Amino acid sequence: MKTKRYSIHNPSHIKNAITCLKDGGVVAFPTDTVYGIGSMINNETALKRIYTIKERDLLKALPVMVSSLNQLSSLIDPKSDYIAAQKLASCFWPGALTLIFKKQLEISNLISQTNTIGIRMPDYLPILDLINRTGPLAVTSANLSGNKNPISAEEVLEQLDGRIDIILDGGKTTGLQPSTVVNCSDLETINILREGSITKERLEECLHA
């Protein structure tokens, strides 16, 4: 398979990527942190491909990206009231913050084999527009597992050329750190699982404001 390289700033190329995703393809693109690869969340063949492409352990969950708070309703447990998560989302979304919620039962185990799901809204308009048109996407870093996170199309292709269908080239990303990950599935407390570009101090300031 030959990976097609398109400019993310060309509307017709965005349409090609959306068609590819809806047809079960896997597409790489820049975010506000690093480059990621994504697929539709309801296509199990495409989800399996992500694990194969990255040589990723099936036990490792795939984060999901959304373009709006409205898209959360199809992903998270509707019975829970995530007060802390709502505060953090209002402060840092769109941005480099992944929030972990209890997931809806209908979400594929290929997204997460536990009862939780990690969700992020990237601060990058072309990708927000893309996700608005596709619906939520399963997205993880566009690298072979254990290798360097790529910040350019060239770095993605060094690792994944011929493994992915399309790469949307948006130049170098500005965020060198991955997102901060906060577990909000326990409604009483939050747990910072990974401190990235958003620090613990900034999280606490938001929660106590």
Side-chain angles (χ1 to χ4, degrees), residues 13-40:
H13 293 170
I14 294 289
K15 288 182 181 179
N16 290 339
I18 291 170
T19 298
C20 177
L21 287 163
K22 290 184 175 181
D23 287 344
V26 175
V27 174
F29 45 77
T31 72
D32 51 337
T33 55
V34 298
Y35 270 72
I37 56 171
S39 78
M40 303 295 290

Side-chain angles (χ1 to χ4, degrees), residues 7 25 28 34 36 55 59 74 80 88 95 98 105 108-109 122-123 125 149 153 162 168 185 200-201 205 209:
S7 169
V34 298
E55 300 173 14
L59 295 177
S74 64
S80 301
L88 293 174
T98 298
L105 294 177
S108 170
N109 285 339
D123 189 14
L125 190 57
N149 289 328
L168 293 172
S185 62
K200 178 181 178 181
E201 288 74 22
E205 285 176 7

Side-chain angles (χ1 to χ4, degrees), residues 119-170:
I119 303 174
R120 186 164 95 80
M121 188 188 298
D123 189 14
Y124 187 52
L125 190 57
I127 296 306
L128 289 175
D129 178 57
L130 184 146
I131 298 171
N132 189 51
R133 295 157 70 182
T134 61
L137 297 177
V139 181
T140 183
S141 55
N143 61 323
L144 295 173
S145 290
N147 286 13
K148 177 184 176 184
N149 289 328
I151 61 169
S152 68
E154 289 77 14
E155 290 183 2
V156 174
L157 292 173
E158 284 174 8
Q159 300 185 57
L160 304 183
D161 194 11
R163 298 186 178 214
I164 55 178
D165 299 293
I166 289 173
I167 180 166
L168 293 172
D169 187 349

Side-chain angles (χ1 to χ4, degrees), residues 8 41 67 74 89 105 150 171:
I8 200 169
I41 63 170
S67 64
S74 64
L105 294 177

Side-chain angles (χ1 to χ4, degrees), residues 10 104 108 111 191:
N10 186 318
Q104 290 225 16
S108 170
I111 298 283
N191 183 20

Side-chain angles (χ1 to χ4, degrees), residues 63-64 69 72 76 82-93 95-102 116-121 179-185 190-191 193 198 203 207:
V64 172
L69 293 177
L72 285 177
I76 66 175
Y82 295 99
I83 297 174
Q86 290 171 358
K87 277 192 172 183
L88 293 174
S90 68
C91 288
F92 300 110
W93 276 9
L97 178 66
T98 298
L99 298 174
I100 296 178
F101 301 86
K102 288 183 179 177
T116 62
I117 184 171
I119 303 174
R120 186 164 95 80
M121 188 188 298
S179 66
T180 295
V181 180
V182 178
N183 189 342
C184 299
S185 62
I190 67 163
N191 183 20
L193 302 182
I198 297 173
L203 296 172
L207 289 173

